[in-house]
């Protein structure tokens, strides 16, 4: 195969013009743009190719009158389609008029985990987020899609996987890692693997114009092929593929394997994917998936202005994103699906498209108050993070995926957008600024509350979740009233989390089990889940009661029983929770549930870290932890209602990630609810250092006001040692 001197010099000249792009999402100054050329020997292709292999539809997708495409149009007019495609490849390799700030060509990098994903994809073991076959020699081993004949089986789903595996495999989440691997190593095998795999996938699931007649709810009524096609071309899948392809394109372009033939095929599929997204918006107009679809359209419209429909994509996407700024977040700034991880992802979607628009002079297509509308949303994430930069598993959040590095990266973005917000700055700089003074945070519309003693890792913090979710949003569990407690670097009551996304009878059962109301630190009627449509958390009051700060919320959890919870932070040293169950329910137990930390693993055996305190002969029950590091917590529950009093300890599970669970101790206290009387509990949550310290303490708690079935307040006295605390609220 020969090359002319002129062709080689032309390639070198074009490649010398390529700009290296950085990975920030905010405005760059030109000093950050490295104009160092890539290797001029990369990307050399034969002077001639196979005209029959060119997908000529590309020339109807591309605006041949776009500035810079003169040579493409000339060859196309002469019906020399290979040269036209070749000139188009030259154009994209040398294009400097468009900037993608998500891509780093200056100093491309790939993590060890990313390299593992890229290498396994070479063998047909494709990374599907949250799923792996096993872990071996310190590396995740992903499921093989290769059938016995060596071909890729796109219908493959492991027997123990839930429906998310079958959905996410169509997002091609391994591609960006292959792109980064090529950029770092310049090894053509990664490009060849990507091309071969994408061609095979496209052959299996060919694009069909117009509507895709598919909904996840019909999965069980269609055959495997129909289900996979519907999943491949609906929902988040095309949007995520398109966004990753736009980034991967820049990494792959210098490859010798990226031929004019492949460019024509690839760009046609890119245009088809954009058209598919535009024609198939998800029904839920304010869902995170709908936002991602519109983000993808706006992004391709900005980054690929040469397409005939780029203006339509950008117009549609930018208009919808402007609408999403209002409908994605409740009035208090919390994302409408009420899940911290999706909340963070939605902010990220907004910031990515904002950064791309900013770099390409397209901000005029978006609302002028774009950034301002993200401020409360940014602050919510700041408030829901524990002081040691971890998060809990609220709703569908998987805390294992939200590392300190991930959280800090996002906080730094938010702080750069709002440099005058000193509290954001404190969190973004790990405390290298003035410490915030506020100790109570309320997101009353959505139903999130935080009471903290301070902002340092050694401080104490409680998060109370009482969401307004009457529509039973998919990512929000019906656990209203629950709390999670942190002190000095340890979460003592990790939320149950989400073990499965469901999809089969067994995985659906797993999902229901972890979402069960009784798996959370709240009050239930006879261990029943909060009734459908009854998660309508209400904020009632906050204020000071002597030396305590308090909040009061309520939820009508069942047709015949409501739950009111008052939480007091006393002297910034401990918490007191007052629970009241009232309504027409009669002769049913009101059950208070508390689940504590996971068991420790020692010598391959699970060892309890929580011990029950059985004082049931005095109508008192609880637990305390027995960590050897001097950071422990006591939970002690008192009740003045004694009808059919029962208390017990047990075990349950919580999950930090899909398919991962850990056993932990819990206790439950129940008293029968009479028709004309409320049931009341007081729970003292007290940090302590060692068991010897706890043994010295006399702890008691009583109500000072009479019970009622239409309560307007509560007054309690808590005694710890020789100190007496009178706490109360009234409505």
């Amino acid at each position: 195969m020969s090359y002319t001197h002129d062709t080689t010099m032309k390639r070198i000249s074009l490649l010398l013009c390529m700009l290296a792009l950085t990975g920030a999402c905010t405005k760059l100054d030109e000093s950050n743009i490295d104009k160092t050329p890539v290797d001029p020997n990369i990307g050399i292709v034969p002077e001639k190719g196979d005209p029959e292999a060119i997908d000529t539809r590309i020339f109807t997708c591309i605006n041949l009158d776009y500035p810079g495409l003169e040579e493409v149009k000339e060859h196309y007019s002469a019906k020399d389609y290979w040269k036209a495609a070749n000139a188009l490849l030259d154009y994209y390799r040398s294009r400097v008029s468009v900037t993608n700030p998500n891509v780093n060509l200056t100093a491309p990098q790939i993590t060890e985990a990313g390299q593992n994903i890229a290498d396994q994809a070479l063998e047909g073991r494709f990374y599907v987020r949250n799923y792996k076959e096993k872990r071996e020699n310190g590396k995740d081993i992903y499921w093989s899609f290769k059938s016995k004949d060596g071909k890729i089986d796109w219908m493959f789903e492991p027997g123990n996987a839930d429906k998310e595996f079958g959905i996410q495999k169509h997002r091609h989440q391994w591609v960006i890692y292959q792109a980064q691997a090529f950029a770092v190593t310049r090894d053509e095998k990664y490009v060849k693997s990507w091309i071969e795999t994408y061609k095979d996938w496209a052959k299996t699931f060919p694009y069909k114009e117009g509507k895709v007649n598919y909904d996840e709810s019909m999965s069980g009524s269609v055959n495997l092929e129909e289900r996979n096609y519907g999943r491949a071309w609906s929902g988040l899948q095309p949007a995520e593929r398109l966004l990753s392809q736009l980034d991967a394109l820049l990494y792959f372009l210098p490859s010798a394997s990226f031929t004019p033939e492949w460019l024509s095929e690839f760009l046609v599929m890119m245009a088809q994917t954009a058209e598919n997204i535009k024609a198939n918006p998800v029904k839920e107009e304010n869902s995170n998936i709908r936002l991602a679809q519109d983000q993808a359209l706006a992004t391709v419209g900005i980054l690929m202005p040469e397409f005939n429909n780029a203006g339509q994509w950008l117009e549609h996407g930018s208009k919808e994103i402007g609408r999403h700024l209002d409908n994605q977040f409740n009035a208090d700034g919390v994302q409408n699906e009420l899940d911290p991880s999706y909340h963070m992802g939605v902010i990220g979607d907004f910031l990515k498209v904002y950064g791309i628009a900013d770099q390409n002079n397209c901000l005029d297509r978006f609302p002028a108050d774009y950034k301002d509308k993200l401020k409360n949303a940014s602050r919510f994430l700041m408030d829901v993070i524990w002081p040691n930069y971890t998060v809990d598993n609220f709703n569908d959040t998987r805390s294992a995926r939200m590392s300190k590095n991930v959280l800090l990266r996002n906080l730094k973005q938010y702080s750069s957008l709002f440099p005058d917000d000193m509290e954001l700055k404190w969190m973004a700089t790990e405390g290298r600024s003035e410490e915030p003074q506020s100790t109570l945070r309320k997101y009353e519309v959505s139903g999130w509350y935080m009471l903290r003693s301070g902002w340092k890792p050694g401080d104490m913090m409680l998060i109370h979740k009482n969401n307004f979710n009457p529509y039973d949003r998919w990512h929000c569990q019906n656990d209203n009233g629950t709390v999670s407690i942190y002190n000095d670097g340890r979460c003592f009551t990790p939320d149950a989390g989400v073990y499965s996304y469901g999809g089969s009878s067994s995985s659906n059962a797993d999902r229901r089990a972890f979402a069960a109301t009784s798996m959370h630190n709240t009050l239930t009627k006879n261990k029943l889940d909060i009734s459908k449509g009854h998660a309508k958390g209400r904020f009632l009051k906050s204020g000071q009661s002597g030396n305590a700060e308090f909040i009061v919320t309520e939820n009508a959890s069942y047709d015949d029983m409501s739950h009111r919870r008052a939480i007091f932070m006393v002297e910034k040293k401990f918490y007191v929770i007052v629970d009241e169950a009232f309504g027409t329910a009669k002769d049913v137990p009101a059950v208070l549930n508390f689940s504590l930390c996971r068991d420790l693993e020692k010598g391959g055996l699970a060892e309890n870290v929580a011990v029950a305190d059985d004082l049931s002969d005095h109508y008192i029950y609880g637990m305390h932890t027995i960590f050897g590091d001097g950071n422990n917590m006591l939970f002690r529950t008192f009740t003045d209602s004694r009808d059919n009093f029962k208390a017990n300890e047990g075990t349950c599970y919580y999950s930090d990630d899909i398919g991962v669970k850990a056993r932990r101790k819990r206790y439950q206290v129940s008293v029968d609810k009479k028709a004309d009387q409320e049931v009341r509990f007081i729970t003292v949550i007290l940090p302590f250092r060692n068991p010897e310290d706890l043994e010295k303490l006399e702890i008691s708690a009583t109500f000072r006001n009479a019970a009622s079935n239409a309560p307007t307040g509560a007054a309690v006295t808590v005694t710890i040692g020789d100190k007496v605390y009178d706490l109360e609220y009234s409505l």
Side-chain angles (χ1 to χ4, degrees):
M1 193 174 289
S2 61
Y3 305 87
T4 66
H5 174 73
D6 288 343
T7 299
T8 301
M9 293 307 296
K10 182 178 179 182
R11 298 283 176 192
I12 293 173
S13 176
L14 289 170
L15 288 167
L16 285 172
C17 293
M18 292 184 69
L19 287 178
L21 307 172
T22 70
C25 285
T26 52
K27 184 75 172 177
L28 303 172
D29 61 60
E30 292 201 359
S31 64
N32 288 331
I33 300 178
D34 187 343
K35 298 181 175 64
T36 305
V38 297
D39 182 354
N41 294 313
I42 296 292
I44 305 300
V45 297
E47 186 178 1
K48 294 182 179 180
D50 180 7
E52 297 298 320
I54 300 298
D55 189 337
T56 56
R57 291 177 297 176
I58 186 57
F59 303 116
T60 59
C61 293
I62 295 290
N63 174 14
L64 297 178
D65 292 318
Y66 193 85
L69 298 184
E70 293 80 9
E71 187 177 353
V72 179
K73 184 175 182 179
E74 179 184 345
H75 290 307
Y76 174 73
S77 298
K79 297 187 178 180
D80 194 335
Y81 301 132
W82 187 88
K83 283 190 176 180
N86 191 37
L88 185 60
L89 181 59
D90 286 344
Y91 166 82
Y92 278 114
R93 282 178 169 162
S94 61
R95 186 179 69 168
V96 296
S97 58
V98 174
T99 300
N100 184 345
N102 297 328
V103 175
N104 183 349
L105 295 177
T106 307
Q109 296 179 340
I110 187 168
T111 63
E112 184 178 350
Q115 186 68 54
N116 179 46
I117 291 170
D119 289 337
Q120 288 197 47
L122 298 173
E123 306 168 4
R125 290 186 175 272
F126 301 132
Y127 167 66
V128 179
R129 191 176 296 126
N130 301 322
Y131 300 95
K132 59 179 180 287
E133 181 180 6
K134 57 186 175 181
R135 188 163 177 83
E136 192 171 88
N137 299 324
K139 291 184 178 181
D140 289 338
I141 307 299
Y142 302 105
W143 290 99
S144 174
F145 282 70
K146 287 289 183 74
S147 57
K148 291 181 179 179
D149 59 5
K151 295 180 180 179
I152 300 174
D153 177 12
W154 290 109
M155 306 302 153
F156 168 75
E157 294 178 19
N160 62 344
D162 58 26
K163 70 178 181 181
E164 275 294 294
F165 184 96
I167 293 171
Q168 291 203 35
K169 67 182 179 184
H170 295 295
R171 298 177 188 174
H172 297 185
Q173 293 157 335
W174 60 90
V175 169
I176 192 62
Y177 298 105
Q178 287 194 303
Q180 292 172 347
F182 170 72
V184 170
T185 67
R186 294 304 199 201
D187 193 325
E188 292 285 328
K189 66 185 179 184
Y190 297 108
V191 192
K192 292 176 180 177
S193 171
W194 166 60
I195 294 172
E196 179 184 356
T197 301
Y198 193 22
K199 282 185 174 182
D200 190 82
W201 181 90
K203 181 180 178 181
T204 308
F205 307 104
Y207 167 74
K208 297 175 185 177
E209 189 174 350
K211 291 285 185 181
V212 176
N213 185 24
Y214 181 79
D215 188 273
E216 188 59 37
S217 63
M218 60 186 274
S219 288
S221 61
V222 297
N223 62 40
L224 189 61
E225 289 76 15
E226 289 177 301
R227 181 165 72 244
N228 270 279
Y229 187 90
R231 287 175 170 175
W233 286 103
S234 65
L236 188 56
Q237 288 68 258
E240 190 165 323
R241 284 199 308 271
L242 181 57
L243 288 167
S244 67
Q245 287 165 3
L246 289 165
D247 293 347
L249 173 64
L250 295 183
Y251 286 122
F252 283 138
L253 265 176
S255 165
S257 301
F258 207 119
T259 63
E261 292 87 343
W262 170 241
L263 177 72
S264 67
E265 191 174 347
F266 173 72
L267 292 184
V268 167
M269 288 191 285
M270 179 177 283
Q272 291 173 339
T273 304
E275 288 300 311
N276 163 267
I277 294 169
K278 190 169 182 289
N280 291 278
V282 297
K283 295 177 183 177
E284 298 81 7
E285 293 188 356
N286 60 351
S287 72
N288 68 83
I289 296 176
R290 184 70 170 266
L291 170 62
Q293 290 179 317
D294 295 322
Q295 175 199 0
L297 287 174
T299 301
V300 71
I302 295 171
L303 295 182
M304 304 298 286
E306 304 83 9
F307 280 99
N308 277 318
N309 291 343
Q312 297 177 27
W313 299 334
L314 176 55
E315 176 68 19
H316 177 90
S318 60
K319 181 180 178 181
E320 289 297 296
I321 285 172
R323 185 179 62 82
H324 284 302
L325 283 168
D326 294 320
N327 72 23
Q328 280 290 316
F329 301 108
N330 295 332
D332 54 10
V334 179
Q335 202 267 340
N336 60 59
E337 292 173 287
L338 302 169
D339 178 290
S341 61
Y342 283 90
H343 180 100
M344 185 175 73
V346 164
I347 299 176
D349 289 343
F350 279 118
L351 292 183
K352 283 177 183 177
V353 74
Y354 182 87
I356 289 171
D358 188 18
Q359 288 294 296
N360 293 281
N361 300 314
C362 292
L363 283 180
D364 59 342
R365 299 295 195 104
F366 298 87
D369 58 352
Y370 194 108
K371 288 196 301 182
D372 293 338
K373 289 186 175 182
L374 296 176
K375 186 165 186 178
N376 284 343
S378 300
R379 290 181 61 84
F380 172 72
L381 184 69
M382 171 190 76
D383 284 333
V384 83
I385 296 172
W386 298 126
N388 67 345
Y389 296 90
T390 59
V391 294
D392 210 341
N393 306 303
F394 293 117
N395 294 330
D396 276 355
T397 295
R398 285 137 286 174
S399 61
R401 296 176 57 190
M402 297 176 71
S403 66
K404 180 178 180 178
N405 287 339
V406 169
L407 294 170
L408 277 172
R409 183 170 68 243
N410 283 273
L411 289 167
K412 287 174 182 176
Q413 284 186 329
Y414 308 161
S415 184
S416 69
L417 288 175
F418 309 109
D420 295 333
D421 190 317
M422 293 297 103
E423 293 183 339
L424 269 175
K425 185 176 181 180
W426 166 272
M427 289 295 290
T429 61
E430 297 185 76
R432 290 190 288 275
S433 66
E434 184 177 351
E435 182 177 359
Q437 296 303 303
S438 58
T439 54
L440 170 62
R441 281 294 160 74
K442 299 176 292 183
Y443 293 85
E444 299 174 22
V445 175
S446 302
W448 288 91
Y449 310 89
M450 299 84 181
L451 278 164
R452 63 170 85 220
S453 64
W455 292 73
K456 297 185 180 72
D459 284 318
M460 180 178 70
M461 181 176 173
L462 177 148
I463 299 176
H464 173 44
K465 177 178 177 291
N466 194 47
N467 294 153
F468 185 78
N469 179 36
Y471 311 109
D472 297 315
R473 299 298 297 269
W474 169 256
H475 294 299
C476 182
Q477 297 178 0
N478 275 356
D479 56 0
N480 274 7
T482 193
V483 294
S484 193
I485 315 289
Y486 165 102
N487 185 62
D488 195 15
R490 175 172 290 136
C491 177
F492 284 90
T493 53
D495 190 88
V498 52
Y499 180 70
S500 171
Y501 264 51
S504 65
S505 58
S506 61
S507 60
N508 286 339
D510 286 337
R511 182 170 177 83
R512 288 192 300 270
F514 279 79
T517 310
S518 61
M519 286 278 276
H520 297 81
N521 303 312
T522 187
L523 185 144
T524 58
K525 184 179 78 170
N526 198 23
K527 302 181 184 179
L528 297 174
D529 289 345
I530 292 173
S531 300
K532 293 292 185 183
H534 280 60
K536 300 178 182 180
R538 296 173 57 211
F539 169 76
L540 299 182
K541 191 172 185 177
S542 65
Q544 290 286 140
S545 175
N547 51 7
E549 198 166 16
F550 72 86
I551 55 173
V552 185
T553 69
E554 186 174 294
N555 191 71
S557 302
Y558 313 92
D559 288 336
D560 56 359
M561 194 172 87
S562 293
H563 173 209
R564 183 179 298 167
R565 173 162 271 185
I567 303 171
F568 298 85
M569 180 174 65
V570 186
E571 295 182 338
K572 297 183 180 180
K573 294 179 180 179
F574 66 97
Y575 296 104
V576 174
I577 297 179
V578 177
D579 289 293
E580 300 169 87
F582 56 94
T584 60
K586 62 179 180 178
D587 300 325
V588 294
V591 184
L592 190 62
N593 308 272
F594 279 103
S595 300
L596 275 63
C597 313
R598 69 176 295 167
D599 294 344
L600 291 179
E601 296 289 336
K602 287 188 177 181
L605 299 174
E607 182 175 294
N608 293 333
V609 299
V611 175
D613 298 313
D614 187 353
L615 304 169
S616 53
D617 54 337
H618 293 85
Y619 302 97
I620 301 169
Y621 203 85
M623 278 186 171
H624 68 272
T625 64
I626 51 173
F627 289 103
D629 59 4
N631 180 17
N632 285 291
M633 193 72 69
L634 167 73
F635 295 76
R636 187 160 294 177
T637 297
F638 305 80
T639 176
D640 67 342
S641 310
R642 301 182 176 185
D643 289 309
N644 198 24
F645 174 92
K646 293 179 181 178
N648 62 80
E649 64 172 302
T651 59
C652 61
Y653 292 89
Y654 76 97
S655 174
D656 287 339
D657 209 345
I658 296 293
V660 177
K661 63 182 179 180
R663 195 187 73 160
R664 38 93 168 266
K665 279 286 197 70
R666 74 169 175 185
Y667 76 91
Q668 296 171 307
V669 177
S670 69
V671 178
D672 277 1
K673 166 77 173 66
K674 299 301 181 181
D676 58 348
Q677 198 71 34
E678 67 174 330
V679 171
R680 303 190 298 180
F681 303 91
I682 304 169
T683 302
V684 177
I685 303 172
L686 177 71
F688 69 96
R689 298 200 62 80
N690 302 306
E692 306 82 61
D693 301 327
L694 186 61
E695 290 174 5
K696 299 174 184 176
L697 287 179
E698 291 288 337
I699 301 173
S700 65
T702 58
F703 283 93
R704 300 198 313 274
N705 66 317
S708 165
N709 205 28
T712 58
V716 303
T717 296
V718 175
T719 303
I720 300 177
D722 58 359
K723 297 199 69 172
V724 178
Y725 303 90
D726 288 331
L727 309 171
E728 62 185 66
Y729 79 87
S730 61
L731 302 177

